[in-house]
Amino acid sequence: RYRGMNLTERGRQIAEKIRRRHHTLAEFFALLGLETKEALEQVDGIEHHMSDLTVERLERLVKYLQDHKAVVKQLHSAH
């Protein structure tokens, strides 16, 4: 239930897909060290244009980066 509306099962699936895309991109941009406002602007501009395969691969990359903090540190110091 959301703001007085009931979603169908299909509606819940679509909402979850959108939430997943948004979360994955936000996590990715956070790992890149982007400021929150800038990251959210980027997410809003990209999330609806990504294929399911792209989201899946980006999720795997985010997980890898979260598990390998040294790589993230190298990205940040590469300037």
Side-chain angles (χ1 to χ4, degrees), residues 14-79:
I14 292 168
E16 176 57 27
K17 184 176 179 178
I18 292 168
R19 187 209 61 78
R20 181 177 148 209
R21 288 169 183 265
H22 185 92
H23 176 76
T24 299
L25 277 168
E27 287 290 315
F28 179 67
F29 289 139
L31 287 166
L32 293 181
L34 295 178
E35 296 291 328
T36 302
K37 182 180 178 190
E38 181 181 358
L40 290 177
E41 288 172 1
Q42 297 294 320
V43 168
D44 289 342
I46 296 172
E47 66 185 338
H48 301 290
H49 303 284
M50 295 172 55
S51 70
D52 291 343
L53 179 60
T54 301
V55 173
E56 179 186 314
R57 299 284 168 85
L58 192 56
E59 284 176 327
R60 292 166 71 183
L61 178 59
V62 166
K63 172 125 178 62
Y64 177 85
L65 292 173
Q66 289 171 333
D67 292 344
H68 296 86
K69 298 292 185 182
V71 174
V72 175
K73 189 173 181 177
Q74 285 178 324
L75 286 172
H76 291 196
S77 65
H79 297 247

